[in-house]
Amino acid sequence: MTRAVQQTTRDLRRHNRSALLTSLYLHGQRSRLELVGTSGLSSATVSNVISDLIADGVVVEAGSVESDGGRPRTLLRVNPGHGHVVGVDIGETHIEVGLFDCTLDTVATATYPIASTGLEPAEVARLVRTGIDAVAATPGVDPARLLGIGVGVPGSVRPGGVVHAPTFGWRQVPLGDMLAPGIAAPLHVDNCARTLGQAEMWRGAGRGANRAVVALLGVGVGAALATGLDGQRGSTSTTEWGHTVVQAGGLPCRCGSRGCLEAYLGAEGILARYAELPGSTPLTAADTESRLQELADLATVPGPAAEVIASTAEYLGVGIANLVNLLTPDRVVLSGWVSQVLGVRMMPGVLDAARRHALSYLFEQTRVELGQLGPEAVALGAATLPISQFLAEGGAIPR
């Protein structure tokens, strides 16, 4: 057999493994017969590939279901214990490092406040490595079976993990090279809004959407556009939604412009607008996240806190209307920690404002939902980076 034929055979085998593994990963338990129907592969090919995946420990049998007039069909699923991945959220208030099993269930987490670092790249990298070491030392975890490490950052990322993050004051920071020493597993660095969007499409409120916008609301504001059912056969890209202008000559933004959406929806912007209202009570909590929660608690009764949350909902609704009019998504997902703190309280006002400002025939086709991934959403999103490679390689463990 020639080298070219061998290469083609290996590529075809990897492609088939990837197709079946991805189907099981994103859509859950399926039988061999269902995989034949959804993959377009022959029953013999499906049987052979699944046998290989089971032998490699990537896929396991998960019970059976009754069939129409025949023997019960055996269900298959991805083996959660096949390996682990690490996801890192480098946020503006903290660094969170999560250890996840092969199906992205949380195994362990470590969180470090970031304020004391002054956002110095070397100190941030040191905390990230500390967190990775901490979660990788979890009992029962084999570091040799670590599939990879994903890192989400609030900025643009160039090849090699070079980061440009204006909100951090970072310009051409070689974060990938700074993290690499002592890390044997494959390392992936990407924009946190994009990876969060992928996670919501796979496991959260974006499931089943063909064209979704996932908004990340925190100290900063960003959004990702995900196309393709469950993120398959499509792509997830970032937008600078937070720096679209919603008020000409409005509040100053960190980017140097005025009236940006982030100036009204970012956590610091919300707190600053509250502090300027007559009758506002000084907030006593030490950090930004705790102060925003304190504000939410005050908003249970009429007053300045309720007023600023109502105005925040209005601006968010306007921002969503702009997304609907420009991008025509069938789903808008509000994720990030600000959404977790204020989302339920703001949602009626958000929907009302979006409905008033969007073209009605487009808004009728759009669902607006809160994210479903919880406080570890961004770290989980980062963990999808090594999992994506794992699926693309057909379940091969990197060496």
Side-chain angles (χ1 to χ4, degrees):
M1 184 180 296
T2 67
R3 180 175 300 178
V5 172
Q6 290 176 332
Q7 183 66 41
T8 301
T9 301
R10 285 196 299 269
D11 290 344
L12 181 61
R13 178 175 179 270
R14 182 172 62 248
H15 173 272
N16 292 341
R17 284 173 63 106
S18 175
L20 297 183
L21 185 59
T22 299
S23 180
L24 288 173
Y25 199 93
L26 296 183
H27 301 292
Q29 298 180 359
R30 286 186 168 180
S31 67
R32 290 172 175 82
L33 184 61
E34 289 172 314
L35 289 172
V36 169
T38 58
S39 69
L41 300 174
S42 70
S43 58
T45 298
V46 169
S47 179
N48 289 335
V49 171
I50 290 299
S51 294
D52 286 346
L53 290 171
I54 290 176
D56 291 344
V58 182
V59 169
V60 293
E61 295 184 345
S64 61
V65 292
E66 295 297 324
S67 61
D68 297 331
R71 294 183 302 174
R73 298 197 304 269
T74 300
L75 294 176
L76 305 162
R77 65 182 175 92
V78 176
N79 178 13
H82 181 66
H84 293 83
V85 292
V86 172
V88 181
D89 167 20
I90 301 180
E92 297 188 58
T93 60
H94 66 273
I95 292 170
E96 181 166 27
V97 183
L99 178 73
F100 305 89
D101 68 19
C102 200
T103 56
L104 292 177
D105 285 334
T106 304
V107 177
T109 60
T111 304
Y112 305 91
I114 203 172
S116 62
T117 67
L119 298 178
E120 285 294 327
E123 183 62 13
V124 170
R126 184 190 67 80
L127 284 179
V128 169
R129 289 197 301 270
T130 297
I132 292 171
D133 291 342
V135 298
T138 301
V141 174
D142 181 3
R145 298 187 72 82
L146 198 61
L147 303 178
I149 296 166
V151 181
V153 296
S156 64
V157 182
R158 296 183 177 180
V162 177
V163 178
H164 179 73
T167 56
F168 276 25
W170 288 8
R171 183 177 179 83
Q172 305 300 324
V173 172
L175 185 64
D177 290 342
M178 296 173 74
L179 293 176
I183 294 179
L187 181 66
H188 311 261
V189 183
D190 207 338
N191 176 271
C192 58
R194 195 192 77 79
T195 59
L196 175 62
Q198 183 163 274
E200 287 284 3
M201 292 292 282
W202 284 11
R203 292 178 56 104
R207 285 181 67 91
N210 285 300
R211 186 177 179 84
V213 173
V214 180
L216 173 57
L217 306 181
V219 174
V221 174
L225 173 64
T227 60
L229 186 62
D230 292 335
Q232 285 186 283
R233 300 179 303 279
S235 63
T236 304
S237 58
T238 58
T239 72
E240 289 292 355
W241 177 57
H243 298 289
T244 55
V245 175
V246 293
Q247 181 69 58
L251 295 175
C253 179
R254 295 184 299 174
C255 72
S257 184
R258 300 185 73 91
C260 292
L261 193 61
E262 182 176 298
Y264 298 88
L265 299 186
E268 298 288 359
I270 296 171
L271 294 171
R273 287 190 295 117
Y274 166 73
E276 294 173 356
L277 291 176
S280 60
T281 302
L283 302 175
T284 60
D287 60 88
T288 302
E289 294 184 33
S290 299
R291 286 198 299 274
L292 195 70
Q293 183 61 62
E294 189 178 349
L295 178 68
D297 295 339
L298 291 173
T300 56
V301 297
E307 182 180 338
V308 77
I309 288 179
S311 67
T312 301
E314 179 76 12
Y315 282 113
L316 179 52
V318 169
I320 290 173
N322 290 338
L323 290 172
V324 171
N325 291 340
L326 287 169
L327 301 176
T328 63
D330 58 344
R331 194 86 49 87
V332 175
V333 180
L334 305 179
S335 194
W337 69 267
V338 169
S339 296
Q340 294 173 39
V341 175
L342 301 180
V344 173
R345 185 172 300 279
M346 288 197 303
M347 188 59 84
V350 169
L351 294 175
D352 177 66
R355 188 177 293 108
R356 284 186 281 108
H357 290 281
L359 293 173
S360 59
Y361 78 96
L362 293 177
F363 189 70
E364 289 168 358
Q365 304 171 40
T366 306
R367 284 165 46 188
V368 181
E369 299 185 5
L370 294 176
Q372 299 176 355
L373 300 180
E376 297 158 12
V378 179
L380 176 65
T384 67
L385 296 173
I387 288 294
S388 292
Q389 182 182 31
F390 173 71
L391 297 178
E393 295 294 332
I397 291 182
R399 300 299 179 189

